[in-house]
Amino acid sequence: MTLLEGLRAAVGVEHVLTEADLTGSYETDWTRRFSGRSACVVRPADTAQVAEIVRLCAEHGAPVVLQGGNTGLVGAGVPAGGEVLLSLARLTQLDPVDLDAGQVTVGAGVTLAALQAHARAAGLDFGVDLAARDSATVGGLAATNAGGIRVLRYGSMDVQVAGLEAVLADGSVMTRLTGLAKDNTGYDLVRLLVGSEGTLAVITRLRLRLVPQLRERAVALVAVDGVAGALSVLRQLKPLLPDLSAAELFLADGLDLVCGKLGLSRPFPQDHPAYLVVECAGPVDPTDAMVDALSQADGLRDATVAKDAPTRRALWDYREKHTEAISLAGVPVKLDVCLPLGALTEFVDGLPGAVAAVAPEAVVVLFGHLNEGNLHVNVLGAGEAAGAVTTVVLERVASYAGSISSEHGVGRSKAAYLGLSRSPVEVALMRSVKQALDPQGLLSPGVLLL
Ligand code: MLT
Ligand code: ZN
């Protein structure tokens, strides 16, 4: 039996796509920067089918690339050329919420928005949230250890994952879904797979921790002098606002782009160098506390507090529409980096000059998750200098002891730069782990480890 015949027998003919007009949307990533032809796209419906697909690929020595909602930004979810593209998007099982444990078991293909709706219907919520919520899948979020806008309060995906089920490279299945609160029986294999970017196993189901649903929200947009001003305001607000859930940064150029490309009206009568979106959430309305805290804080050039849900959404749009506005302006070099907070201002101040030295025409758009020092460095118009821009930015990050990947993963785009953030000893250890779990090197080749 050929591999294609085996795959068709495993999942049904209609779920093995080979025609370019059917596979095309799976083969180019969201940014349009990464694309490649696959041997075929396979769309299993459950763990047993995933296991059979992976077993067949191992038998045929066929490399596999894994894809959730195809919202990844580092090229890890699309083929480099010739791999079997395994889409997990049909694994959409939602088990009932376990109210005693405050946990739920879901399929890897459940979107973040569907998970949020499911948890909220049971009076709970999910701790991770991000702009791509309608398409991003929880399997992909776990595989990249995604963060998003509420890390300040709840942490990244690693904190939310209480257990998982995964298909190993030989087709065997590891199931660890009980979500016990305490369990120290040896190596943490669940945590090992979170953030492994599809290189060690195929995550098929997850046991996720839920958080209390906080129905009362307050959102403010604050204008400040620059990154140092934003950090100062955040430092002052934190002790005053125990309900603080988000603190998101963007700069004047980003606001211009969002308003220009998407027709949003400007938030303040005057322009300012930098802006901070802050959100509080709690069981009682935090609006008065937010207004009080902002009136006590020094360094605000202007501020507005939302009065209702549509205005809260409108303030969030200035920040969350950055990715879409940048994409409308072109195909950016997208770099997701993390800096020590003490180095953030100097890093940002020097960045345009460093980029201009290798790409004089390029435009830098910066935004990110301020509390974690997580900046999204988007460089438009780099053209032929895209590689040089990547090198100059990531080397600059490393020179400040930052991380070259904060929450998007290393993927294909930054695999060559892993040594900037990981020592030779660590990279060798990662290779040993990869060799142990995927000795044929068939899972996501070229992703994370070259
Ligand atoms: C975000 O924070 O909006 C996301 O990480 C997406 C992006 O960086 O473009
Ligand atoms: Zn982000």
Side-chain angles (χ1 to χ4, degrees):
M1 214 194 309
T2 66
L3 176 59
L4 264 185
E5 288 166 348
L7 294 173
R8 286 179 179 132
V11 300
V13 176
E14 69 276 28
H15 292 301
V16 181
L17 315 177
T18 52
E19 303 298 324
D21 56 334
L22 297 178
T23 59
S25 64
Y26 295 87
E27 292 172 335
T28 297
D29 83 324
W30 192 90
T31 66
R32 309 184 301 278
R33 180 167 287 281
F34 301 96
S35 69
R37 280 308 311 273
S38 62
C40 60
V41 174
V42 197
R43 303 186 304 182
D46 56 27
T47 301
Q49 291 188 359
V50 174
E52 180 60 4
I53 291 164
V54 175
R55 192 193 64 73
L56 284 164
C57 288
E59 189 180 301
H60 289 264
V64 185
V65 63
L66 312 180
Q67 189 178 100
N70 197 10
T71 57
L73 299 169
V74 290
V78 293
E83 301 97 320
V84 169
L85 194 159
L86 174 48
S87 166
L88 284 313
R90 289 180 65 225
L91 274 66
T92 53
Q93 176 195 332
L94 281 165
D95 285 4
V97 170
D98 178 342
L99 289 171
D100 290 328
Q103 296 180 352
V104 66
T105 301
V106 304
V110 168
T111 64
L112 176 55
L115 169 64
Q116 289 171 336
H118 186 59
R120 287 169 193 167
L124 294 170
D125 205 347
F126 188 58
V128 165
D129 194 17
L130 40 79
R133 57 185 73 79
D134 290 327
S135 308
T137 60
V138 289
L141 297 178
T144 54
N145 190 19
I149 58 179
R150 292 206 214 141
V151 175
L152 184 159
R153 185 152 188 173
Y154 299 116
S156 297
M157 272 305 281
D158 57 346
V159 181
Q160 327 304 325
V161 177
L164 54 74
E165 179 176 78
V167 173
L168 306 183
D170 62 357
S172 56
V173 178
M174 176 182 97
T175 303
R176 196 146 192 90
L177 288 168
T178 47
L180 293 176
K182 300 183 84 174
D183 174 12
N184 62 4
T185 51
Y187 303 142
D188 188 344
L189 301 174
V190 169
R191 182 62 188 85
L192 177 66
L193 297 189
V194 176
S196 64
E197 302 190 40
T199 62
L200 299 181
V202 185
I203 297 172
T204 53
R205 286 198 290 166
L206 297 112
R207 179 77 175 175
L208 297 169
R209 295 190 178 91
L210 301 175
V211 299
Q213 186 177 3
L214 302 172
R215 294 172 198 271
E216 301 295 332
R217 293 181 179 273
V219 177
L221 181 66
V222 178
V224 289
D225 271 338
V227 175
L231 282 168
S232 159
V233 168
L234 178 58
R235 205 166 41 237
Q236 296 172 72
L237 292 184
K238 275 164 100 172
L240 299 174
L241 296 172
D243 284 346
L244 193 66
S245 298
E248 297 283 311
L249 174 78
F250 57 90
L251 305 182
D253 295 352
L255 180 66
D256 290 349
L257 195 65
V258 167
C259 292
K261 290 287 174 194
L262 298 167
L264 272 59
S265 56
R266 299 193 70 86
F268 298 117
Q270 288 178 335
D271 295 344
H272 302 283
Y275 302 87
L276 195 56
V277 178
V278 283
E279 178 171 280
C280 289
V284 293
D285 186 355
T287 305
D288 289 346
M290 175 85 95
V291 171
D292 278 356
L294 290 173
S295 65
Q296 288 180 49
D298 289 331
L300 274 60
R301 291 172 63 119
D302 207 340
T304 178
V305 180
K307 291 185 178 54
D308 51 26
T311 325
R312 286 199 293 273
R313 184 66 261 154
L315 294 186
W316 263 115
D317 277 352
Y318 292 116
R319 159 61 180 89
E320 288 206 325
K321 297 281 183 195
H322 267 63
T323 305
E324 189 181 338
I326 289 165
S327 183
L328 288 169
V331 178
V333 176
K334 232 176 203 309
L335 301 168
D336 156 51
V337 301
C338 193
L339 276 303
L341 287 182
L344 204 60
T345 305
E346 196 178 307
F347 175 84
V348 172
D349 288 348
L351 195 63
V355 170
V358 293
E361 309 295 320
V363 175
V364 180
V365 183
L366 274 182
F367 62 98
H369 313 286
L370 183 67
N371 186 62
E372 293 77 49
N374 179 182
L375 290 178
H376 297 312
V377 180
N378 290 258
V379 183
L380 285 161
E384 300 282 292
V389 165
T390 303
T391 302
V392 93
V393 174
L394 297 186
E395 284 182 350
R396 196 170 157 75
V397 169
S399 75
Y400 286 103
S403 169
I404 63 158
S405 172
S406 188
E407 59 169 5
H408 294 172
V410 172
R412 295 186 199 288
S413 66
K414 290 188 263 188
Y417 299 91
L418 186 62
L420 287 175
S421 282
R422 293 297 195 127
S423 69
V425 170
E426 288 178 297
V427 174
L429 203 48
M430 286 193 203
R431 288 194 194 287
S432 305
V433 173
K434 170 76 173 168
Q435 176 66 24
L437 270 81
D438 179 20
Q440 290 191 84
L442 295 180
L443 296 179
S444 304
V447 170
L448 180 57
L449 294 167
L450 288 178

